[in-house]
Amino acid sequence: MAAASSSDYDGCGAESNEANSKWLDAHYDPMANVHTFSACLALADLHGDGEYKLVVGDLGPGGQQPRLKVLKGPLVMTESPLPALPAAAATFLMEQHEPRTPALALASGPCVYVYKNLRPYFKFSLPQLPPNPLEQDLWNQAKEDRIDPLTLKEMLESIRETAEEPLSVQSLRFLQLELSEMEAFVNQHKSNSIKRQTVITTMTTLKKNLADEDAVSCLVLGTENKELLVLDPEAFTILAKMSLPSVPVFLEVSGQFDVEFRLAAACRNGNIYILRRDSKHPKYCIELSAQPVGLIRVHKVLVVGSTQDSLHGFTHKGKKLWTVQMPAAILTMNLLEQHSRGLQAVMAGLANGEVRIYRDKALLNVIHTPDAVTSLCFGRYGREDNTLIMTTRGGGLIIKILKRTAVFVEGGSEVGPPPAQAMKLNVPRKTRLYVDQTLREREAGTAMHRAFQTDLYLLRLRAARAYLQALESSLSPVSATAREPLKLHAVVQGLGPTFKLTLHLQNTSTARPVLGLLVCCLYNEALYSLPRAFFKVPLLVPGLNYPLETFVESLSNKGISDIIKVLVLREGQSAPLLSAHVNMPGSEGLAAA
Amino acid sequence: MGLLDRLSVLLGLKKKEVHVLCLGLDNSGKTTIINKLKPSNAQSQNILPTIGFSIEKFKSSSLSFTVFDMSGQGRYRNLWEHYYKEGQAIIFVVDSSDRLRMVVAKEELDTLLNHPDIKHRRIPILFFANKMDLRDAVTSVKVSQLLCLENIKDKPWHICASDAIKGEGLQEGVDWLQENNDSKQDIGRVIFGESDQPKSKDLKVLILEIPRKWLGQMY
């Protein structure tokens, strides 16, 4: 019975292993097939029954089939297809009326789909952007057949290069087409009015005029055309519009819309812009050295995760407070807020399968997960206040519940110097032989010095002689002269009786080609036969390696091997520039066997 | 307890009183179970989440139960241990359809069993695997596996599947509780008030009260 229970329920076994862990393993399903990221997770009491559900904007296994999933407990409750890939999910209260069930907003493409009670309720589309008047004019001309497709293409291309406003989707599509397809495209689309639409990149909520848990919230949208929009919660009109120098990817808000608020937007250019109420443009700018991967506000500190595997803390005015280095790349970040103890901390899912929890610089807890976590969400789920929901890279779902008695303390063992420092140095031992040698050196030092110097003189003489001889007969495979910088080496391949002899010739000068070279092979004609023992070398371009191949056939049936000399000569000169000696291997042909 | 009370108990005029702690996570059905055990005219119609705790009374054939119906919400769970001393039996209610929080129930049960006031007392624990009527409910056998009940060696325990709204399974549990509450220690406690160890001479009186099937076990 005990075996059955532990194998049947994964939480039971894992918990007994980690008796002192702060987390209870409520659920682990590696096959849950949830592929999403932290921005697309939201927890809310969607039916008003006190049972909190998890809303997942699921991208699908290959990012192909976007779906809206609602999870209740460990299981998917409802699932519905989405028209496009979701960018963010948020839940918010639209109005003060009872029952106070929150609406679910899902940003996808240029629209925000609002669901109430899990039924489609409203679709908000971003306002269309004004098209370029020149472009508009061109298409109007096309409509009246006053312009042919080729001219239209040229004109559009010139607009694209010069005008600061980008072209519409229709024009961009037109520019991609082949000549043959243009005519049909213009005829089909000339009557359509050109549209320029943008896409939502990020979304978050901002309390309207009360800081309460159940206050009405506005949606804040970040768009691809570098704007931030604040929407009215009931009428879905635009309350405020702010512009940014770059495309926002992460948003963090605090305060209330009607009173005072601060908006921090992490952008694709690696900067964080901080906006306040009544400021249409960023007030402060934080420049990061790398792209941000997450932006979380903890009390008054903005915590940013960067692609350089580190967390940075900034004040709301953009002053850097601290930096913590992570052991692996940060995949996702989210806020851990424990209301009962008033704790706010940052969770970071790392590529090595850890989830680290930080309060400011202090590491509070590390959770080891079987797979790298790509999305994190902490809050009330089901009926449990402190639930951590994680989804893994492989699509698994992990749910952990924080124990009622768990308290996060900045514990952890003291980290001292690395263990490698305690290792002894690998100094070799000296034996008796060494001591005897030193004794001998002490006694007969003068004689040793003299004898060695004499030998060194002789060695230098012999080396110089041999070198001179090699120079005279051009035996070296690398030419030393500045006039003809060349390099040669020969390779023999094969087992015989036929071998492939490849000469690699290279011009090592910087910018001077070499012309008119010849290669000549000298060999014992009784032992080997070469189809061409003398051939011309093509023009050698500096830097390139020229493999020149010949086939050598071994004639001897006794397995005798010999040396083949390869000489590189200049036309009209008899002295070789350089040469290589190839030691032919013994033939393993039929004759030898 | 005065002399008169003791006499009336002995004569069977007044039922013995047993203090029971009703524990379990929030929304598991503790108050509904207690409510269903009360006589039909005393039952309340709508049940709201308990705040703090409430004291309820109901009677079975031979015992009179005083139940401390504790709130199971996270913020009230630290109140539980203040009543452990009074408890002579424990009813632990589990929502068998809430698979996700079964680990939390197990964690609370483990802390309960390891509490100094509970650990060395042989008090009976009755588990209700409640909400059996729900579609995603797990069986009582499964609940006992998930809670690792087989590890409870030093206390009598019993698990009943129940549906507290219809009242199914509750009587079985109360019957078991009644039988198991006649253990030596608890009878001593009831009859002799404060003293935990009954004097041997008085025990002879007790034997009259004990069901026949327990006789073999006691002596």
Side-chain angles (χ1 to χ4, degrees):
Chain A
M1 193 166 167
S5 75
S6 63
S7 63
D8 195 83
Y9 193 60
D10 28 59
C12 220
E15 201 225 317
S16 58
N17 293 341
E18 298 176 12
N20 52 357
S21 160
K22 293 180 171 54
W23 300 91
L24 297 169
D25 293 298
H27 182 68
Y28 174 50
D29 181 7
M31 312 299 281
N33 216 4
V34 180
H35 301 266
T36 186
F37 41 92
S38 294
C40 281
L41 286 183
L43 287 166
D45 183 10
L46 292 177
H47 298 100
D49 55 357
E51 170 113 16
Y52 279 63
K53 317 285 187 307
L54 174 71
V55 179
V56 181
D58 191 353
L59 310 176
Q64 297 298 323
Q65 304 146 322
R67 290 184 157 275
L68 172 69
K69 289 181 177 169
V70 178
L71 275 82
K72 180 191 176 194
L75 298 170
V76 175
M77 190 174 74
T78 61
E79 200 174 324
S80 52
L82 285 174
L85 287 177
T91 54
F92 66 108
L93 280 164
M94 289 172 69
E95 70 271 298
Q96 292 286 354
H97 310 217
E98 300 284 334
R100 321 222 52 195
T101 52
L104 161 66
L106 210 83
S108 162
C111 302
V112 180
Y113 300 91
V114 182
Y115 294 77
K116 273 206 116 177
N117 211 359
L118 283 182
R119 284 191 194 86
Y121 172 76
F122 187 76
K123 176 180 162 187
F124 167 79
S125 294
L126 288 178
Q128 284 184 10
L129 306 173
N132 191 334
L134 284 172
E135 186 190 350
Q136 182 81 59
D137 201 43
L138 283 173
W139 279 100
N140 283 342
Q141 286 182 29
K143 193 172 164 182
E144 291 153 17
D145 288 328
R146 282 192 288 147
I147 191 164
D148 63 302
L150 268 179
T151 342
L152 179 64
K153 180 177 178 171
E154 276 170 26
M155 300 286 271
L156 284 174
E157 265 171 356
S158 68
I159 294 176
R160 182 170 67 172
E161 279 156 19
T162 54
E164 58 266 30
E165 265 191 56
L167 291 175
S168 67
V169 177
Q170 184 178 329
S171 302
L172 292 174
R173 179 85 189 87
F174 175 73
L175 285 180
Q176 284 182 344
L177 291 180
E178 298 291 322
L179 274 174
S180 54
E181 296 162 321
M182 280 181 183
E183 188 77 48
F185 185 85
V186 172
N187 288 335
Q188 195 185 344
H189 289 279
K190 63 187 176 186
S191 49
N192 296 357
S193 62
I194 57 173
K195 295 176 195 163
R196 204 155 68 83
Q197 223 167 15
T198 182
V199 168
I200 301 169
T201 54
T202 171
M203 175 172 72
T204 187
T205 56
L206 168 64
K207 293 270 180 279
K208 184 128 173 36
N209 45 25
L210 266 175
D212 279 1
E213 190 84 330
D214 55 348
V216 170
S217 305
C218 307
L219 285 181
V220 185
L221 306 178
T223 63
E224 192 73 42
N225 69 329
K226 306 169 188 172
E227 275 185 335
L228 292 177
L229 305 176
V230 182
L231 299 187
D232 184 77
E234 278 179 84
F236 288 99
T237 50
I238 293 172
L239 291 177
K241 200 180 232 184
M242 287 160 271
S243 62
L244 289 173
S246 178
V247 182
V249 282
F250 297 106
L251 275 180
E252 188 58 68
V253 292
S254 62
Q256 295 133 49
F257 179 75
D258 289 344
V259 189
E260 172 64 60
F261 65 89
R262 284 167 197 269
L263 247 164
C267 295
R268 284 206 194 125
N269 62 356
N271 291 358
I272 295 169
Y273 298 100
I274 296 163
L275 298 104
R276 297 184 52 180
R277 186 181 154 79
D278 302 326
S279 65
K280 294 278 167 220
H281 296 280
K283 197 167 166 63
Y284 303 107
C285 169
I286 306 167
E287 290 187 6
L288 301 174
S289 51
Q291 304 282 323
V293 291
L295 177 68
I296 303 293
R297 185 180 54 85
V298 179
H299 298 300
K300 291 194 162 176
V301 181
L302 277 175
V303 182
V304 187
S306 81
T307 48
Q308 289 172 333
D309 308 353
S310 51
L311 287 181
H312 309 281
F314 292 95
T315 63
H316 261 303
K317 294 197 168 171
K319 200 178 137 204
K320 190 171 195 169
L321 296 174
W322 46 262
T323 297
V324 190
Q325 195 63 35
M326 298 283 137
I330 303 171
L331 298 184
T332 187
M333 286 169 65
N334 213 334
L335 179 71
L336 181 147
E337 188 165 16
Q338 197 184 0
H339 293 287
S340 57
R341 297 191 194 271
L343 172 83
Q344 282 197 338
V346 171
M347 303 182 284
L350 305 185
N352 61 359
E354 282 180 3
V355 175
R356 292 184 159 227
I357 299 167
Y358 281 91
R359 180 173 58 201
D360 289 342
K361 283 198 298 184
L363 178 65
L364 298 181
N365 193 225
V366 181
I367 305 167
H368 297 273
T369 53
D371 192 5
V373 168
T374 51
S375 70
L376 285 166
C377 187
F378 184 88
R380 184 172 172 85
Y381 183 48
R383 298 191 150 266
E384 198 58 42
D385 271 323
N386 301 315
T387 312
L388 172 63
I389 300 157
M390 303 182 268
T391 70
T392 64
R393 187 148 51 187
L397 176 71
I398 306 171
I399 301 177
K400 285 183 183 278
I401 295 176
L402 190 65
K403 284 185 192 169
R404 182 168 62 90
T405 50
V407 186
F408 286 115
V409 281
E410 302 167 18
S413 52
E414 282 297 313
V415 181
Q421 281 191 13
M423 240 167 57
K424 280 196 171 176
L425 286 179
N426 192 11
V427 182
R429 274 161 49 85
K430 294 183 178 69
T431 56
R432 181 67 193 259
L433 186 67
Y434 174 84
V435 180
D436 289 350
Q437 284 286 0
T438 51
L439 273 179
R440 197 170 68 82
E441 275 172 29
R442 235 179 273 168
E443 283 160 10
T446 330
M448 278 174 163
H449 177 76
R450 272 191 203 131
F452 178 76
Q453 288 300 327
T454 323
D455 288 350
L456 189 60
Y457 283 133
L458 287 174
L459 181 70
R460 282 180 186 150
L461 178 67
R462 278 179 201 152
R465 264 186 200 151
Y467 182 60
L468 191 65
Q469 203 181 351
L471 272 187
E472 275 169 355
S473 53
S474 301
L475 281 173
S476 72
V478 178
S479 88
T481 57
R483 282 184 56 235
E484 307 288 345
L486 285 174
K487 217 167 88 180
L488 168 79
H489 75 272
V491 178
V492 180
Q493 289 169 315
L495 297 173
T498 311
F499 299 94
K500 187 160 106 176
L501 178 67
T502 313
L503 307 172
H504 292 274
L505 203 58
Q506 194 181 0
N507 180 357
T508 54
S509 73
T510 48
R512 202 157 61 88
V514 180
L515 259 170
L517 289 187
L518 300 164
V519 168
C520 167
C521 298
L522 299 179
Y523 57 97
N524 186 343
E525 286 184 14
L527 290 176
Y528 300 104
S529 87
L530 269 76
R532 40 179 205 147
F534 180 72
F535 53 90
K536 275 193 170 179
V537 174
L539 178 140
L540 294 181
V541 175
L544 293 186
N545 184 19
Y546 287 76
L548 309 168
E549 296 166 355
T550 52
F551 287 94
V552 179
E553 197 171 347
S554 172
L555 301 174
S556 156
N557 55 0
K558 296 193 181 66
I560 304 169
S561 60
D562 198 14
I563 292 173
I564 295 180
K565 295 176 183 168
V566 182
L567 310 173
V568 178
L569 311 139
R570 175 160 286 284
E571 241 171 322
Q573 289 178 12
S574 57
L577 292 174
L578 49 156
S579 64
H581 287 202
V582 186
N583 285 307
M584 294 302 290
S587 169
E588 297 186 21
L590 291 169
Chain B
M1 231 180 230
L3 185 68
L4 210 63
D5 286 342
R6 273 188 233 166
L7 263 175
S8 60
V9 169
L10 286 178
L11 295 173
L13 294 176
K14 190 178 171 190
K15 291 175 180 174
K16 282 186 299 157
E17 273 201 27
V18 182
H19 292 261
V20 180
L21 292 181
C22 187
L23 307 175
L25 302 186
D26 50 314
N27 198 42
S28 58
K30 297 175 292 299
T31 311
T32 314
I33 286 179
I34 306 289
N35 188 48
K36 205 71 192 175
L37 289 171
K38 289 198 280 192
S40 53
N41 53 358
Q43 287 181 7
S44 67
Q45 288 308 309
N46 57 338
I47 288 160
L48 296 168
T50 311
I51 302 212
F53 74 99
S54 65
I55 296 175
E56 307 281 347
K57 284 178 199 278
F58 69 89
K59 290 192 171 87
S60 72
S61 54
S62 67
L63 294 173
S64 158
F65 290 96
T66 306
V67 186
F68 292 85
D69 181 13
M70 312 293 297
S71 172
Q73 291 176 34
R75 67 189 118 159
Y76 294 123
R77 273 180 226 158
N78 47 6
L79 289 180
W80 290 6
E81 59 185 34
H82 297 292
Y83 300 89
Y84 286 171
K85 274 206 175 75
E86 277 107 278
Q88 290 157 327
I90 291 172
I91 297 176
F92 197 93
V93 187
V94 182
D95 178 356
S96 38
S97 68
D98 194 351
R99 177 87 190 238
L100 202 63
R101 288 209 302 164
M102 212 66 92
V103 275
V104 184
K106 182 182 183 305
E107 170 74 11
E108 294 296 348
L109 178 66
D110 289 345
T111 39
L112 162 76
L113 293 175
N114 290 325
H115 193 273
D117 287 346
I118 297 286
K119 194 167 185 179
H120 301 295
R121 289 167 59 200
R122 202 173 173 281
I123 55 174
I125 307 176
L126 170 64
F127 293 91
F128 278 119
N130 197 23
K131 305 201 190 182
M132 269 303 151
D133 51 321
L134 293 187
R135 198 164 45 88
D136 42 1
V138 293
T139 61
S140 58
V141 177
K142 186 87 181 170
V143 170
S144 68
Q145 280 179 11
L146 294 181
L147 296 182
C148 303
L149 295 187
E150 68 272 11
N151 294 344
I152 308 175
K153 299 281 199 303
D154 54 345
K155 292 178 181 62
W157 60 270
H158 183 71
I159 184 161
C160 294
S162 67
D163 171 5
I165 293 174
K166 294 203 191 97
E168 286 166 11
L170 300 184
Q171 200 49 51
E172 182 204 341
V174 174
D175 289 347
W176 178 86
L177 204 61
Q178 192 168 289
E179 283 174 23
N180 278 271
N181 216 271
D182 295 343
S183 66
K184 187 162 75 178
Q185 181 202 351
D186 285 326
I187 292 166
R189 182 183 283 255
V190 174
I191 294 180
F192 303 105
E194 269 45 60
S195 83
D196 276 342
Q197 294 297 315
K199 297 189 175 65
S200 58
K201 133 183 127 173
D202 297 326
L203 264 176
K204 284 172 192 162
V205 185
L206 271 176
I207 298 167
L208 297 170
E209 272 257 323
I210 289 161
R212 297 198 76 81
K213 63 174 180 176
W214 291 102
L215 279 173
Q217 286 189 13
M218 283 184 69
Y219 295 100

